[in-house]
Amino acid sequence: MRKKRKIHLTKVVGFIIFNVLFTVLLAPFITFWGPFEATKTIAVGSVLTSRHPQVVKAFLSDQEISDIVNNYNDSNATSDRTIQTTVTDASAGITIETINGKTFKGKVMLIKDPKRIKVAVTKDLGVKGERVSDFVQDTGAVAGINGGAFCDPNGAGNGGFPDGLTVHKGEIVQNNIGSNSTDIVALDKEGKLIVGQITADDVKKKNIQEAVFFWPPLIQDGKRCEFKDSEWGIGPRTAIGQKEDGTIILAVIDGRQPLWSLGAKMSDLYNLFRDYGAVNAANLDGGSSSELFYNGKVLNKLWDWAGERYLPTAFVVMPEESKS
């Protein structure tokens, strides 16, 4: 009896392992070739913006990828959104709005005084990152969003290494591009948002006070910038913009959640900021980094089940009375 039971148990374990492996091997084919359009859209958008975009191209042609990504809003259309003001703190000069687009939900924060926006850098630079809530607490800020790009030289995924140029209080705190030109999202001494290409030498020349590296720019000096939805896919997004009167616009879009929000394309972000009257705007780090923290709470719906991600930088909103 013991021998039979042992043989029976071995067969059961073997059957389970076979089915697990079969499912894992079959999953990409079902995802990219199956009839489930929402799943396919999320998968394409997620993988395109990951470090392994070649996975999508192994299953789909460039034309198929483009068709999937561009299946939603036209890049020249209005953002087709509804707005509900959920929090207005007039005394602090902050307004927070809930937005609903065709394929996404998110939050927009408006800050009247652009000089309140600062870059927060992890206190363990080169070792490990911090959560947005940590950045807000450490700096005494009232709100924060995730910031710029980061690299992972040791494969540890701890968010301790900001990529490109990082500037705080007019000083370069991280530079891994030398004298080369790089994309930047920055604020100068007058609180003007600067997007586009700069070099390290431009930091002093242009009086840049706060800056992180990310791309693509969405609007520059009132004009639409060049970007392709097919290269960026659909997913959670974070972006920053500025109106003519100086008001800063922070947007965080939820994504990769079929029953809640699929996410946004770059053209969706462009439409959104254009409708808000932005004269300059740029995309920031997205995916599981996308977060808006205010008044002790995460206001958006995080995609990562593990919660807040550890990051090297964030944009924080200082209290109104603070100009430091």
Side-chain angles (χ1 to χ4, degrees):
M1 291 293 292
R2 290 181 180 176
K3 187 176 181 180
K4 289 183 178 179
R5 182 176 297 174
K6 185 177 181 180
I7 293 173
H8 180 68
L9 182 60
T10 301
K11 288 182 177 180
V12 170
V13 173
F15 177 77
I16 292 172
I17 292 174
F18 171 79
N19 278 277
V20 170
L21 291 175
F22 182 75
T23 301
V24 170
L25 291 172
L26 194 61
F29 296 92
I30 295 174
T31 299
F32 295 116
W33 291 350
F36 309 107
E37 291 302 320
T39 302
K40 189 185 300 184
T41 299
I42 292 172
V44 169
S46 299
V47 179
L48 275 179
T49 53
S50 73
R51 296 183 180 182
H52 306 285
Q54 66 274 14
V55 173
V56 174
K57 296 184 178 182
F59 291 90
L60 301 171
S61 68
D62 290 342
Q63 185 59 53
E64 287 173 320
I65 293 171
S66 181
D67 289 343
I68 290 169
V69 171
N70 292 294
N71 189 38
Y72 294 101
N73 302 334
D74 178 74
S75 60
N76 294 315
T78 61
S79 59
D80 190 27
R81 58 183 168 82
T82 58
I83 299 176
Q84 178 185 356
T85 302
T86 54
V87 179
T88 301
D89 191 344
S91 62
I94 290 175
T95 299
I96 300 176
E97 298 176 340
T98 297
I99 55 172
N100 293 285
K102 188 175 181 181
T103 65
F104 62 83
K105 298 178 187 294
K107 299 287 185 181
V108 168
M109 175 180 281
L110 304 170
I111 303 99
K112 290 184 178 181
D113 182 0
K115 293 183 180 181
R116 295 173 60 187
I117 308 299
K118 309 293 181 184
V119 167
V121 182
T122 175
K123 57 180 177 288
D124 294 314
L125 187 65
V127 180
K128 65 178 181 180
E130 298 183 57
R131 300 169 299 180
V132 175
S133 58
D134 297 326
F135 286 123
V136 171
Q137 182 177 352
D138 291 348
T139 59
V142 296
I145 60 170
N146 55 290
F150 54 98
C151 47
D152 188 15
N154 301 317
N158 55 14
F161 299 86
D163 204 2
L165 278 176
T166 304
V167 181
H168 178 51
K169 291 185 176 180
E171 300 295 328
I172 296 175
V173 296
Q174 175 74 0
N175 177 7
N176 64 2
I177 53 119
S179 60
N180 294 325
S181 177
T182 187
D183 284 286
I184 203 76
V185 183
L187 288 150
D188 68 11
K189 199 168 185 178
E190 301 305 315
K192 180 183 177 181
L193 183 69
I194 299 171
V195 300
Q197 292 267 320
I198 69 162
T199 65
D201 289 341
D202 291 327
V203 171
K204 295 297 183 183
K205 292 176 182 177
K206 297 185 177 182
N207 289 317
I208 290 175
Q209 297 298 298
E210 313 289 333
V212 298
F213 158 68
F214 217 80
W215 80 105
L218 302 168
I219 302 172
Q220 189 173 38
D221 298 326
K223 298 180 180 179
R224 184 188 190 276
C225 297
E226 293 297 322
F227 51 81
K228 294 181 180 179
D229 283 333
S230 58
E231 294 178 353
W232 287 92
I234 298 169
R237 305 288 185 204
T238 301
I240 183 171
Q242 186 174 45
K243 297 183 181 184
E244 187 70 46
D245 66 1
T247 298
I248 292 292
I249 310 162
L250 305 179
V252 175
I253 306 296
D254 296 333
R256 299 175 188 165
Q257 302 171 73
L259 300 179
W260 174 252
S261 175
L262 291 180
K265 301 181 299 181
M266 285 302 144
S267 57
D268 292 323
L269 285 184
Y270 164 74
N271 290 334
L272 180 67
F273 279 93
R274 181 194 61 190
D275 290 354
Y276 267 98
V279 292
N280 288 292
N283 180 53
L284 293 170
D285 189 17
S288 55
S289 300
S290 290
E291 178 182 349
L292 174 60
F293 189 86
Y294 175 71
N295 199 25
K297 297 178 181 179
V298 178
L299 295 190
N300 65 304
K301 194 170 183 179
L302 299 177
W303 173 65
D304 195 333
W305 62 269
E308 294 180 81
R309 193 175 190 181
Y310 285 82
L311 308 167
T313 61
F315 278 109
V316 295
V317 184
M318 302 305 293
E320 193 170 29
E321 64 273 14
S322 175
K323 305 295 182 182
S324 62

